[in-house]
Amino acid sequence: MNSTDPYRKFRVQNFPQTNLSNYLPVDGVEVKLLDGCNRSCIFCVNEDHIGKRLNPIDTERFVRSVIEWSESPDEPEKPEAIYGTGGEPLMAMDLVEEVFGPLASRGLTTRLVTNGTLLTRDRIARLTAIGLTGVKVTYNTMQEDRLMALMKGAKPNDTKQLLENIGKAKEAGLWVFVRIGMGQHNADEAAAIYRVMRDLGVDVVQIKPWIPSGYAAQAQNELSLRPSALYDRFADIMMELYEELDTGGPELTTSCYPPARQLEFTVKDCANVAKIYCEPGGEALVCNFADEYLGNWYPEEGGLLGVVARRRELYPRMMDDHGVASCPARLNWSTPGPVVSPAPQWKPERPLIPLEAVRVRTAD
C-alpha cells in the first residue's frame, strides 16, 4: 500500500541503524530507461554517451513485469514507487510516457531522476498529464565555473536555468527531491544550496558524497573528499543550519555516508536497502552501484515476481550493518582497495557534536 507520508523513506525509524541483515521489504524499483544523456558529468555513476539514445528499455516488457508483480494475489511485497533514470530520461519522453502512464493509472507512485536541464514547461505538462508524482533533480553548484568543470557540455546559463526548472516543477504540483553530490568542487556550498531550495519550496534535499562508479570512479582523486575532510564538512553544514532546520523547509537527509548518524541527520546509511534496480537488458540488481544479481526482470524469465523472491533469499548474505556489503561508495573511506565495511572501526579525527547541541527537524 502506498504511504501518505512523503518522508517515510527518510525517517530514522524506517531505516534501522544496525542489523540491516534483518529483512526490509522492497519499497522502490528504479529502472534505467536508456543509455545516453544530454550532458557528460565527471561524477556520473554510469558511462553514458552524450547526446545519443542507446539501449532503450523494452517498455511493454517492463510495464507487464511491474503489473504482474503489483497485482499478484500471492506476493506479499508490493512496489510503492517506480523511479525512472538513465542516462537522461527526459531525452526520451516517449519511453517515459509508455512506462509511467500505465503505472500511474494503477495508483503507483512514479518519479523521474533527471539532471534538470530538460525540465521545461512543455515536458512538465506532459509529465503531469500522465500522472507522474515527482522528480529527483541533481543540483551540485550555483557557480558557473564549477558547473562547467563538473558537467561537460554544460551551458553558461545552466546554473540559473536549473533553478528556474526546479521552480517550475514545484509550481506544477510535483514532489521535488534535490540531490547535492558533494566533493572537492562544492563542499562549501551545501548549506547555501539548501537555503535556495527552501525558498523554491522543494520537499527533500539530500547531500550525498560522490560514488566511485562509472565515470566518477575515473575521477575519484579529483572529486572525492578524504574521510576526515568529509566528516568535518558535514559537521560544519549541520552547525551552519543549526538554527534553521526546525523552522520549516525541506527535509534534509544524507546518503551513502556511514557516520552521518553521528551528526543526528535523518540518516540513510544505505539508500538502496529497499530497492531493486532494473537494467534495460533485463538484469535486476540490488542497486546500480553494487554487484548482487537478483535475476532477470523480463516476464518470460521470471519477471519482477521472481526477482523479489530472489532478493528475500539473498538479503541476509548481501547486507551488513550498513547496507549493501559490496557497495563501492565505501571506497570513499580508503585508498581504492578491497570493498570492506570500515564504519564500525573508524573514529573521527575531531570530537563528535554533543547530541544536546544538535536539533533535528522531524515531521509529525
Side-chain angles (χ1 to χ4, degrees):
M1 179 180 297
N2 290 344
S3 172
T4 58
D5 176 6
Y7 300 134
R8 190 193 67 76
K9 285 189 66 175
F10 307 101
R11 302 219 183 281
V12 171
Q13 61 267 32
N14 292 316
F15 281 84
Q17 303 304 291
T18 57
N19 298 318
L20 290 184
S21 59
N22 292 338
Y23 190 68
L24 293 181
V26 171
D27 70 1
V29 173
E30 186 168 324
V31 56
K32 186 174 186 181
L33 297 179
L34 76 163
D35 295 331
C37 190
N38 63 325
R39 299 288 187 268
S40 182
C41 301
I42 67 171
F43 56 81
C44 184
V45 298
N46 299 311
E47 293 183 352
D48 289 325
H49 299 272
I50 187 168
K52 296 185 182 297
R53 170 171 164 154
L54 300 172
N55 197 26
I57 195 168
D58 185 321
T59 58
E60 187 277 332
R61 268 178 167 160
F62 181 73
V63 170
R64 180 154 57 95
S65 194
V66 173
I67 292 173
E68 287 178 358
W69 172 25
S70 65
E71 298 183 357
S72 169
D74 300 321
E75 174 52 63
E77 288 186 63
K78 305 295 183 183
E80 289 191 10
I82 310 295
Y83 293 81
T85 185
E88 174 49 57
L90 294 179
M91 287 178 62
M93 285 294 297
D94 58 328
L95 301 180
V96 172
E97 290 168 331
E98 289 169 10
V99 168
F100 292 103
L103 299 182
S105 72
R106 286 168 167 79
L108 288 168
T109 298
T110 51
R111 294 168 179 160
L112 284 186
V113 182
T114 173
N115 63 32
T117 58
L118 300 179
L119 202 57
T120 61
R121 288 196 188 277
D122 287 345
R123 288 189 181 89
I124 290 171
R126 291 173 67 178
L127 295 176
T128 56
I130 63 172
L132 192 85
T133 310
V135 290
K136 284 187 174 184
V137 184
T138 300
Y139 191 87
N140 296 317
T141 178
M142 296 185 291
Q143 298 187 27
E144 182 181 305
D145 59 336
R146 291 181 175 181
L147 184 69
M148 302 291 275
L150 290 168
M151 182 185 279
K152 303 304 181 183
K155 299 177 181 179
N157 67 336
D158 271 353
T159 50
K160 178 182 177 182
Q161 188 63 59
L162 282 168
L163 291 178
E164 292 180 0
N165 291 351
I166 291 169
K168 293 171 191 172
K170 275 309 301 178
E171 290 171 6
L174 292 172
W175 176 89
V176 177
F177 174 118
V178 172
R179 175 178 292 161
I180 306 168
M182 192 173 74
Q184 295 180 42
H185 294 76
N186 61 351
D188 57 337
E189 289 191 77
I193 292 173
Y194 176 85
R195 295 184 180 110
V196 169
M197 297 306 161
R198 178 187 60 201
D199 293 343
L200 289 174
V202 309
D203 299 281
V204 179
V205 173
Q206 181 186 83
I207 305 172
K208 183 174 184 175
W210 305 119
I211 308 302
S213 173
Y215 285 141
Q218 302 172 29
Q220 185 178 3
N221 290 336
E222 178 184 356
L223 285 170
S224 297
L225 291 167
R226 304 309 310 145
S228 59
L230 191 60
Y231 178 86
D232 286 349
R233 187 60 201 128
F234 270 112
D236 291 342
I237 292 166
M238 179 52 101
M239 295 307 293
E240 189 172 349
L241 295 174
Y242 169 75
E243 297 291 344
E244 304 174 37
L245 293 178
D246 285 339
T247 60
E251 188 86 353
L252 178 62
T253 76
T254 66
S255 181
C256 301
Y257 178 67
R261 70 183 68 153
Q262 299 169 341
L263 303 177
E264 292 300 297
F265 281 101
T266 304
V267 173
K268 295 195 302 173
D269 276 355
C270 175
N272 308 298
V273 291
K275 174 173 149 184
I276 292 172
Y277 181 79
C278 297
E279 293 275 6
E283 297 83 4
L285 308 170
V286 65
C287 81
N288 49 321
F289 305 137
D291 292 331
E292 284 83 357
Y293 178 61
L294 301 178
N296 194 305
W297 60 258
Y298 284 175
E300 65 271 23
E301 299 292 338
L304 283 165
L305 273 169
V307 166
V308 72
R310 178 69 169 159
R311 181 179 178 274
R312 280 195 295 269
E313 175 188 347
L314 291 179
Y315 198 89
R317 281 175 277 165
M318 66 191 184
M319 295 290 171
D320 64 18
D321 282 354
H322 301 278
V324 183
S326 70
C327 179
R330 295 178 182 178
L331 295 181
N332 281 330
W333 292 86
S334 63
T335 301
V339 175
V340 296
S341 177
Q345 294 79 33
W346 181 73
K347 300 296 182 184
E349 297 181 2
R350 60 189 269 178
L352 299 182
I353 301 171
L355 296 187
E356 61 271 15
V358 179
R359 296 186 298 182
V360 185
R361 188 181 76 79
T362 57
D364 296 329

